Amino acid sequence: MKYFFKIFFAVLLPGFTSITVSAQIKTYNIKHYGAIADVKINNTAAIQKAIDEASANGGGRVLVPAGKFVTGVINLKSNVELHIDKNAFLLGSAIRADYGEGKASPLIVSNNQRHIAITGQGTIDGQGLDLLKDIYRRLNAGTLADTEWRKPNPWHQMRPTEDNRPKLIEFKGCDDINIKDITIKNGLCWIQNYKNCSNLVIDSIKVESVTYWNNDGIDIVDCKNVKLTNSFFNAADDGICLKSEDRDGACENIYVANCRVRSSASAVKFGTASHGAFKKITIRNISVYDTYRSAIAIETVDGATLEDIDIRDITATNTGNALVIRLGHRNQKVPAGILRRVYIGNVKVDVPAGKPDAGYTMEGPLVTIPHNVFPSSITGIPGSRVEDVTLENITINYAGGAKKERAYFGIDTLEKVPERIPNYPEFSMFGELPAWGFYIRHADGIMIKNMVLTCKGTDYRPAFIADDVKGLSLTGLSIPQVKRTPVILLNKVSGLVLKNIRIPGNAEKNIKAQ
């Protein structure tokens, strides 16, 4: 049955055009085009026919009604809303050949289209485990080419290349996108990838992407005017990830708020692909739990300019690292990037002694080098320094429990901390660091206001180290447990401001400048 409804839409985020639209929209039920709710039947042709007709007629709602409908690759076109109804399941085919020859196509694609949407309270299920069985079967039989299969990699994971693991959603060069209320689950690669898109609104979605490695919850790549709110991500890789893959592109005017994230990598991450720019990014009210790596990872290593970042109200429990800010130089073909004007405020993170994602189906790979609990860090490189970072109202609680025999080196050997200029950026990239709470190197204009660092267990390292920093302001830094002296070590620091430092015991022993 075809019916009509009115849609009213308004966007108030700065950078968007404020529009209110009232229009009658025709509904195209995929069952009327031959789709059958049977897990043994592939409905690709029927679903695509409904989409094509809706688009040709000027637009409409393509309805996936209650039931389980299997599909291969479908192409979403301009002015079409794919609506997955309550108790409806759009199931990705479990046959690798249904994603095309050569590189596997994503399940739902859209290129250079406008006014598109995926809505409804139903589920997109990639059936990743069943698809993986088919991929393995073909690989073992020698009927599927793969450049990485059985090839050693730094993570000690035997896995097929991404070319054989389809994403679930990939939109490129699209404008005016609305993703709302849906559940997306069981992919084999990035769950959803939005690249070079504009005016993208994502609200109240649920992502369960723990089927396999590289299951980022969402990747926003060189997009402008994005609003992501009220959503949940449980990911075997990064939860919410901003990337820049185009030297002339940028992630710009991005707003992320009121989301909950669990990840076997990092919860909110900028990078690692960082070729163009990240500008005017606002993050608000993110809850993180059981996350292996960082609650917040801000990284530019391929030449990108990263600036004007405002992050507030982050709470993370059982998370391996609070914060990493890294300016590196992985892409040696271009100059190192710029990282400046970052504000992070109202953050509380509890860092355990053990592995935060232990017991999950797909855990993050173990760090094989000897190490104790890793501190938060801000690090540039010689000649390319992190600039103008403000951290305010930050509390990081460490379980502690360090051991000297795990790669101990003294505070008089700071030069032994490797630079790792071209390396993949990560909070563990330097190996053991000489501080248990916070480590800063090669940075200018660092302002810390009201930071609390606690450590329940033993530790042999200073709590806070700044090495080669120009313009360091520490106001209201509180370190209530003295594990060893000095508690704060400042090496090659100029333009120092110290106010209201709260450390028990002798101030001269607790703060050392050299």
Side-chain angles (χ1 to χ4, degrees):
M1 181 177 69
K2 297 176 181 178
Y3 62 91
F4 298 87
F5 72 99
K6 288 186 177 182
I7 182 169
F8 297 89
F9 178 61
V11 177
L12 302 179
L13 183 66
F16 285 82
T17 302
S18 181
I19 301 173
T20 301
V21 179
S22 176
Q24 289 187 326
I25 302 214
K26 191 174 183 179
T27 295
Y28 299 78
N29 190 322
I30 64 170
K31 293 179 73 173
H32 298 162
Y33 294 84
I36 299 173
D38 185 328
V39 296
K40 296 181 181 179
I41 295 176
N42 188 316
N43 296 287
T44 307
I47 297 171
Q48 191 62 57
K49 185 176 180 181
I51 293 171
D52 292 347
E53 186 169 318
S55 183
N57 289 338
R61 168 182 278 188
V62 172
L63 175 66
V64 180
K68 295 183 177 180
F69 296 87
V70 175
T71 185
V73 178
I74 55 175
N75 191 339
L76 193 59
K77 296 185 177 180
S78 290
N79 305 309
V80 173
E81 171 195 4
L82 178 64
H83 185 85
I84 305 170
D85 220 352
K86 186 176 181 180
N87 298 319
F89 294 83
L90 190 62
L91 305 178
S93 171
I95 299 173
R96 168 63 181 86
D98 287 339
Y99 298 89
E101 298 294 331
K103 184 176 181 178
S105 169
L107 180 67
I108 303 173
V109 300
S110 191
N111 295 319
N112 302 313
Q113 304 298 299
R114 293 173 55 83
H115 315 308
I116 55 177
I118 303 177
T119 65
Q121 296 182 333
T123 299
I124 299 171
D125 187 338
Q127 299 197 102
L129 290 179
D130 289 335
L131 176 58
L132 188 62
K133 290 176 183 178
D134 184 64
I135 292 172
Y136 281 156
R137 184 166 52 250
R138 294 170 188 270
L139 288 171
N140 288 324
T143 59
L144 182 64
D146 195 288
T147 58
E148 294 184 14
W149 175 244
R150 300 188 186 282
K151 180 180 178 181
N153 62 62
W155 300 277
H156 308 286
Q157 298 165 349
M158 187 176 72
R159 60 185 179 187
T161 177
E162 293 182 16
D163 288 352
N164 280 317
R165 294 184 280 116
K167 300 176 178 69
L168 294 188
I169 298 172
E170 185 169 75
F171 293 170
K172 294 181 178 180
C174 296
D175 177 63
D176 188 8
I177 304 163
N178 187 20
I179 311 294
K180 185 174 177 62
D181 293 332
I182 60 172
T183 295
I184 316 172
K185 62 194 296 186
N186 298 330
L188 288 182
C189 196
W190 298 358
I191 296 304
Q192 46 193 326
N193 184 32
Y194 304 97
K195 184 173 182 178
N196 298 322
C197 294
S198 57
N199 301 313
L200 167 63
V201 177
I202 303 171
D203 182 63
S204 301
I205 69 170
K206 180 179 180 181
V207 177
E208 295 278 359
S209 59
V210 297
T211 310
Y212 207 61
W213 298 289
N214 292 129
N215 270 206
D216 289 359
I218 184 170
D219 289 273
I220 298 169
V221 185
D222 291 316
C223 291
K224 293 179 173 61
N225 303 333
V226 178
K227 185 178 182 182
L228 166 60
T229 54
N230 308 312
S231 296
F232 172 78
F233 299 88
N234 179 13
D237 210 317
D238 299 316
I240 300 171
C241 195
L242 309 184
K243 297 178 182 289
S244 178
E245 296 178 346
D246 185 348
R247 183 69 176 162
D248 297 319
C251 277
E252 186 169 2
N253 196 31
I254 313 292
Y255 178 82
V256 179
N258 306 322
C259 293
R260 184 165 169 80
V261 183
R262 203 296 308 175
S263 170
S264 286
S266 292
V268 178
K269 182 176 181 180
F270 296 63
T272 54
S274 45
H275 296 271
F278 302 85
K279 297 183 177 182
K280 299 179 183 177
I281 314 294
T282 301
I283 312 287
R284 293 286 187 274
N285 191 29
I286 306 296
S287 175
V288 180
Y289 72 98
D290 293 359
T291 288
Y292 177 47
R293 291 181 175 147
S294 301
I296 306 166
I298 300 174
E299 303 161 346
T300 174
V301 295
D302 300 313
T305 294
L306 193 156
E307 61 188 6
D308 300 321
I309 312 301
D310 190 320
I311 300 174
R312 304 180 193 224
D313 306 317
I314 310 296
T315 302
T317 58
N318 196 36
T319 297
N321 177 259
L323 169 68
V324 59
I325 298 178
R326 173 62 173 170
L327 169 58
H329 196 189
R330 179 174 61 178
N331 183 2
Q332 297 288 310
K333 296 180 180 179
V334 298
I338 296 169
L339 199 164
R340 62 191 175 193
R341 299 197 297 273
V342 175
Y343 177 91
I344 301 175
N346 304 328
V347 174
K348 182 178 180 181
V349 182
D350 293 328
V351 179
K355 195 168 187 290
D357 66 335
Y360 280 86
T361 304
M362 289 288 170
E363 295 183 22
L366 287 170
V367 178
T368 56
I369 58 172
H371 68 90
N372 294 291
V373 175
F374 293 104
S376 289
S377 61
I378 300 173
T379 58
I381 58 177
S384 296
R385 305 166 70 85
V386 176
E387 303 174 71
D388 301 328
V389 175
T390 298
L391 307 179
E392 186 171 18
N393 300 328
I394 311 289
T395 298
I396 309 174
N397 300 315
Y398 293 90
K403 298 179 181 179
K404 283 189 177 183
E405 55 269 26
R406 291 182 183 172
Y408 171 76
F409 54 89
I411 60 174
D412 57 344
T413 56
L414 293 181
E415 68 275 8
K416 287 188 177 181
V417 179
E419 293 288 351
R420 304 279 167 81
I421 291 172
N423 284 37
Y424 185 94
E426 197 60 83
F427 73 93
S428 58
M429 64 182 297
F430 303 109
E432 182 77 325
L433 283 169
W436 61 256
F438 218 103
Y439 176 80
I440 306 173
R441 183 171 66 172
H442 305 319
D444 299 340
I446 306 300
M447 183 176 294
I448 293 177
K449 303 177 183 179
N450 302 323
M451 175 180 284
V452 179
L453 301 174
T454 73
C455 182
K456 294 178 181 178
T458 59
D459 206 293
Y460 58 85
R461 300 168 291 179
F464 186 102
I465 292 179
D467 185 12
D468 185 24
V469 178
K470 299 176 183 178
L472 175 65
S473 176
L474 303 178
T475 302
L477 175 60
S478 176
I479 305 173
Q481 300 104 350
V482 174
K483 302 300 174 180
R484 68 156 297 167
T485 57
V487 178
I488 298 174
L489 176 62
L490 308 173
N491 183 57
K492 301 177 184 177
V493 173
S494 61
L496 177 65
V497 176
L498 296 177
K499 292 182 181 179
N500 301 322
I501 306 300
R502 297 184 292 273
I503 306 172
N506 187 304
E508 292 184 2
K509 290 183 178 180
N510 287 334
I511 302 175
K512 181 179 180 180
Q514 60 183 32

